[in-house]
Amino acid sequence: MKMMKKSRLSALSRWTLMLLLLSGLPPLPDGVPTAEAAARTRPRVGLVLGGGGARGLSHVGVLKVLEELRVPIDCIAGTSMGSIIGGLYASGMTPEKMDETLSKIDWPQVFTDGPPRADLPFRTKQEQRVLLTNKGVGIKDGKVQLPLGLLQGQNLSLMLEELTLPAADVRDFDDLKVPYRAVATDLATGKAVVLDSGELSRAMRASMSIPSALVPVEMDGKLLADGGMADNVPVDVARNLCKPDVIIAVDVGAPLVPTEDLTSVLSITEQLTGFLTVRNTEVQLATLGPRDILIRPDLKDISSIDFEKFAAAVTVGYAAAKAQLAPLSRLSLTPAAFEAFLAARPDLPEKNHPVIDFIRIENETRLSDQVIEQQIGLKPGDHLDPEQLNRDLNVIYGMGDFQEVGYSLVRENGKTGLVVETRKKYIGDNNLNFGLFLGANLKGDSMFNISAAYTMSQINSLGAEWRTFLQLGNDSAFLTDFYQPLDADQQYFIDPYLSYKQYNLTLESDSQELITGFRVREVQLGVDAGRNLGHWGRVVMGLYYNGGNNGRRLGIPSPYEGDFNNSGFSLRLEADTLDSTNFPTKGYMGTVRLRGATTLLGADSDYQTLLVEGHKPWTWGKSTLIPRLYLGGTLSGDPGPEDLFLLGGFLNLSGYQLGDITGQNVAFGELIYMYRLDNASSAFAIPLYAGGSLEVGTVWESLDRIEADAIIPAGSLFLGADTPLGPAYLGAGLSKDSQASLYLMLGKFF
């Protein structure tokens, strides 16, 4: 259709010119040129945008100058970030629109996987508190399978899909407004792969698959990674694409660092990677001729990960292009000629908000298509809302072990369809996590626990999960449970479980003197059934058998020694919208739990306990204040020591060891202050905090026996980091009577 239109225009131009010549009139003035006339009289221009991570954002500034000077671009070749900026320009996005759009992007969120924690399924949030590390290794075909990168690139892919929606129907990159090529590297051969067709967003994503940081992209049986390793400034690709008379090459690669700056394993690793990039760049730039133009923005203060410096990078790119004003001006067209050039580009209909006629699920996982479709708010007949769709797809991603959850738009039989694509995880559906706890006080007591959790996910079409947890050390534990959703929208569930625990428990007098120390051995078999309340909370009811033995290891004989049976019921209301399990800055967490032993189920006696706890962070700037409240009481009966409330441990009367203080009733409150030490806006920063706490708490046997002098003040100071392996802490705590502890932990926070 487009070719016919161009042919008609071409014929019309020829006839117009012939008539003018025959009539003796002069030809069209320069102010009214045709696109074909301009193309015959001007040099063809190829634009090459090199890779360099965040440094490549300076390409936006270069494009601003080219458009201000009315420089026509006949083809674009790009690598890594150059492929993204080049692809956006080729799909019709103006430099001004790029500046506006990219400046609003939350780059730290882009370079994470999945939705914000508040949008995760509640089961996943609970697992984050049980599984001590954020990431694990896969178990596939009986073998340990390590991830191919720190990030799957889920949010990056969704961002690129949204930005390229105007070109959603284009599969041949020659049909874009500007013919375009992206360059990636074949990991099997190390050779450059020139991407000329397919989904534009996926080609961009493949070209920017930074080794070790982002998982490579599988295309046509090849694993593709960042093109910078093979052809970082692809001059050769642009020459082959449109046979340009002039090449404008923009090199934003980082130079090799001098010897004095090679001070760490990380810097040496970056240097080794840089060898490949610098060498292939030099080869390409050596092919530039006297008519070609090389632009090298002065990006010495901007590294490849400084995405938060977007505005500065654009400014530097703009200045670098302005420095080449003279040679660039020679390529400039008149305003009318430039308008004719732009008008002759292929039309790409606006696709940002098309009406969706049908939805199709292309699913590689065990999870049923119905479960996936239930999470998508968009229905046939609705206008596409890219932002909402991205949130919905991220929720799906957070439900299970997906490599990627994305989408594409298709035209079939005159109708527009949304195709949702899920790819199964490369490392397999089974995951192995590890954790570590170390603690010591100044009296010579120490605590050590090491743990592992093995999770089998997506066992059936509704997304069942079987988790087994093992801990060895001072506190030994074994837990296995089978979580089974009961409906496609994941509202109702059943969760049978079996657990075994061994731990130390201390009973003290009102003067906090040791009476008896137990080694508790406890078996619990039960089943929970509940309803998820969206993603913010759930209601759970449960029945359980709970039996074991209290073996005395210290102190005087106790009536609590020997076997026990506390079988009964539980009822819980749980809420959790925190943005982080370990270092929250917004949201809230709360629990109300009623637990009761009953002789009807075989318990030794009847009793009921009630627990209420919660905390809510408040953040301003880099500072966060977290008030926390923990209240528990015995409503009736006389619970055994294994069902008493516990205090002690880091941020739980710091200074005491875990479980040092026990009672039938408990009251505890604290204020935690955290200050973020790193650059919070940096895309690849590991959050680092310094903080402290003020704490107060007590336990008592009955309300009429509580005394003011029984209240225990405490406090702590700590350094914390939210590492890729989980939260890590180095801290010290001090409580009443000079109780002091040092803490080195990798694992849980509250």
Side-chain angles (χ1 to χ4, degrees):
M1 194 70 181
K2 294 173 185 174
M3 292 181 65
M4 294 176 60
K5 183 179 180 183
K6 291 176 85 172
S7 298
R8 287 196 296 269
L9 288 174
S10 179
L12 181 61
S13 299
R14 288 196 297 270
W15 280 105
T16 301
L17 182 60
M18 185 177 296
L19 290 172
L20 290 171
L21 291 172
L22 290 173
S23 64
L25 296 174
L28 291 171
D30 292 340
V32 195
T34 67
E36 290 190 3
R40 288 195 298 269
T41 59
R42 67 170 180 81
R44 293 180 63 79
V45 179
L47 178 62
V48 178
L49 302 180
R55 296 163 64 93
L57 296 171
S58 61
H59 293 316
V60 177
V62 174
L63 287 172
K64 282 186 174 183
V65 175
L66 296 182
E67 289 233 332
E68 288 175 5
L69 296 176
R70 300 182 301 280
V71 175
I73 304 300
D74 294 286
C75 64
I76 299 175
T79 296
S80 195
M81 181 57 76
S83 75
I84 292 178
I85 302 301
L88 294 179
Y89 188 70
S91 64
M93 185 179 289
T94 66
E96 289 73 21
K97 185 65 174 178
M98 286 186 212
D99 197 351
E100 177 188 349
T101 302
L102 299 182
S103 65
K104 297 177 182 178
I105 289 177
D106 184 354
W107 291 103
Q109 181 62 26
V110 167
F111 290 106
T112 58
D113 287 324
R117 185 178 179 276
D119 294 336
L120 288 172
F122 201 86
R123 165 74 172 181
T124 305
K125 296 177 185 178
Q126 292 295 99
E127 287 181 339
Q128 290 179 348
R129 297 186 176 278
V130 177
L131 306 182
L132 302 184
T133 55
N134 296 329
K135 298 184 181 293
V137 299
I139 305 296
K140 186 177 182 181
D141 299 326
K143 299 179 180 179
V144 174
Q145 182 69 59
L146 297 176
L148 297 179
L150 292 175
L151 297 173
Q152 304 293 337
Q154 168 68 12
N155 288 334
L156 175 61
S157 295
L158 290 178
M159 180 194 75
L160 295 176
E161 286 172 350
E162 181 177 349
L163 293 178
T164 58
L165 274 176
D169 291 343
V170 177
R171 290 297 179 266
D172 187 339
F173 297 165
D174 285 344
D175 295 335
L176 294 168
K177 283 186 173 295
V178 183
Y180 163 81
R181 298 291 185 269
V183 179
T185 301
D186 185 344
L187 285 177
T189 65
K191 296 180 179 179
V193 177
V194 180
L195 303 173
D196 60 3
S197 60
E199 290 184 49
L200 179 59
S201 63
R202 194 156 179 80
M204 294 175 174
R205 168 69 177 83
S207 182
M208 198 184 168
S209 296
I210 306 167
S212 300
L214 287 165
V215 168
V217 174
E218 185 175 354
M219 296 178 67
D220 299 325
K222 299 177 180 177
L223 277 181
L224 303 182
D226 195 293
M229 296 182 291
D231 197 353
N232 197 50
V233 187
V235 174
D236 56 338
V237 177
R239 293 198 192 279
N240 292 330
L241 176 56
C242 65
K243 305 297 188 290
D245 302 297
V246 178
I247 289 284
I248 301 173
V250 188
D251 177 19
V252 296
L256 297 174
V257 301
T259 302
E260 57 268 20
D261 293 333
L262 297 173
T263 57
S264 67
V265 173
L266 181 61
S267 63
I268 292 174
T269 302
E270 290 179 345
Q271 186 85 330
L272 293 174
T273 304
F275 286 150
L276 297 173
T277 301
V278 170
R279 287 177 178 176
N280 71 60
T281 297
E282 290 176 348
V283 170
Q284 291 295 317
L285 296 184
T287 68
L288 296 177
R291 297 184 66 185
D292 300 324
I293 302 168
L294 175 61
I295 300 174
R296 274 181 160 158
D298 185 9
L299 296 160
K300 60 177 179 285
D301 296 327
I302 300 175
S303 76
S304 60
I305 62 173
D306 286 336
F307 288 89
E308 73 279 5
K309 296 181 180 179
F310 171 80
V314 173
T315 300
V316 172
Y318 187 90
K322 279 289 190 180
Q324 299 291 331
L325 187 61
L328 289 175
S329 295
R330 289 195 286 270
L331 304 174
S332 179
L333 298 180
T334 65
F338 191 63
E339 286 299 319
F341 168 77
L342 297 179
R345 290 175 169 177
D347 292 328
L348 295 180
E350 186 65 39
K351 291 287 185 180
N352 291 51
H353 303 282
V355 174
I356 300 301
D357 299 306
F358 64 90
I359 298 174
R360 184 167 67 238
I361 309 297
E362 294 184 357
N363 178 24
E364 295 183 355
T365 71
R366 295 193 189 105
L367 208 60
S368 75
D369 294 354
Q370 186 181 4
V371 171
I372 294 172
E373 194 167 357
Q374 282 289 104
Q375 308 305 315
I376 302 173
L378 181 72
K379 304 302 178 187
D382 293 345
H383 283 273
L384 176 66
D385 183 343
E387 293 184 5
Q388 182 59 54
L389 178 61
N390 283 356
R391 286 193 292 270
D392 292 343
L393 297 185
N394 250 341
V395 168
I396 296 170
Y397 180 87
M399 289 172 56
D401 291 329
F402 296 99
Q403 184 75 23
E404 188 178 0
V405 179
Y407 70 94
S408 60
L409 297 181
V410 297
R411 291 285 295 175
E412 296 179 0
N413 302 318
K415 296 185 176 184
T416 299
L418 173 72
V419 180
V420 175
E421 303 146 343
T422 68
R423 298 182 177 92
K424 58 183 180 181
K425 211 167 193 177
Y426 174 80
I427 62 174
D429 297 324
N430 304 332
N431 202 51
L432 185 62
N433 295 74
F434 301 94
L436 175 69
F437 176 88
L438 297 172
N441 60 27
L442 299 183
K443 295 180 179 180
D445 300 322
S446 62
M447 193 170 187
F448 168 79
N449 289 316
I450 186 170
S451 53
Y454 182 64
T455 305
M456 301 173 64
S457 58
Q458 295 188 5
I459 294 175
N460 54 39
S461 62
L462 289 178
E465 182 178 272
W466 186 7
R467 179 187 62 198
T468 300
F469 176 86
L470 178 65
Q471 178 173 288
L472 300 174
N474 294 73
D475 296 333
S476 299
F478 170 83
L479 168 68
T480 185
D481 76 314
F482 190 90
Y483 180 84
Q484 177 63 69
L486 300 177
D487 55 336
D489 58 4
Q490 309 280 289
Q491 286 190 337
Y492 297 94
F493 64 88
I494 188 169
D495 187 12
Y497 62 89
L498 170 68
S499 70
Y500 174 79
K501 300 178 184 177
Q502 285 192 40
Y503 57 94
N504 294 335
L505 184 64
T506 301
L507 296 183
E508 296 180 339
S509 66
D510 292 342
S511 60
Q512 297 173 9
E513 295 178 350
L514 172 68
I515 298 177
T516 307
F518 295 105
R519 183 66 174 177
V520 181
R521 295 172 175 85
E522 178 181 348
V523 175
Q524 186 160 306
L525 174 66
V527 58
D528 286 338
R531 186 185 192 281
N532 291 308
L533 305 173
H535 292 156
W536 66 266
R538 67 179 183 178
V539 177
V540 183
M541 299 178 291
L543 296 174
Y544 60 86
Y545 163 82
N546 181 222
N549 178 270
N550 293 322
R552 181 167 56 91
R553 62 184 187 90
L554 296 170
I556 64 176
S558 169
Y560 295 116
E561 288 182 56
D563 296 336
F564 63 84
N565 186 333
N566 295 325
S567 303
F569 67 91
S570 66
L571 178 63
R572 305 192 306 274
L573 172 62
E574 301 170 325
D576 186 350
T577 66
L578 297 176
D579 61 337
S580 169
T581 304
N582 313 299
F583 302 95
T585 61
K586 60 182 179 181
Y588 58 86
M589 192 283 286
T591 300
V592 179
R593 187 196 72 197
L594 176 66
R595 180 179 168 97
T598 173
T599 54
L600 296 176
L601 295 176
D604 299 329
S605 63
D606 294 311
Y607 62 84
Q608 291 82 44
T609 63
L610 179 67
L611 169 69
V612 179
E613 66 171 326
H615 58 270
K616 176 176 174 52
W618 303 86
T619 299
W620 63 101
K622 288 191 171 186
S623 295
T624 299
L625 189 66
I626 309 173
R628 181 187 173 219
L629 186 65
Y630 178 85
L631 300 172
T634 300
L635 303 180
S636 65
D638 185 17
E642 65 284 342
D643 246 359
L644 298 177
F645 297 100
L646 308 180
L647 289 178
F650 182 53
L651 301 178
N652 198 46
L653 285 187
S654 303
Y656 288 93
Q657 292 291 297
L658 181 66
D660 275 357
I661 301 172
T662 61
Q664 290 192 8
N665 303 280
V666 64
F668 174 79
E670 69 179 332
L671 284 175
I672 302 171
Y673 174 79
M674 302 188 307
Y675 182 82
R676 186 156 182 177
L677 299 173
D678 66 290
N679 184 2
S681 62
S682 178
F684 291 97
I686 293 177
L688 180 64
Y689 298 87
S693 65
L694 296 175
E695 311 160 29
V696 61
T698 187
V699 297
W700 69 97
E701 299 309 308
S702 60
L703 290 176
D704 59 355
R705 295 179 59 184
I706 186 171
E707 299 178 3
D709 60 2
I711 298 175
I712 304 171
S716 72
L717 295 172
F718 62 86
L719 288 173
D722 207 2
T723 76
L725 296 177
Y729 301 92
L730 175 63
L734 182 66
S735 294
K736 182 181 178 181
D737 300 326
S738 299
Q739 294 281 344
S741 292
L742 299 175
Y743 303 98
L744 173 62
M745 295 174 288
L746 175 64
K748 297 186 241 185
F749 185 48
F750 293 114

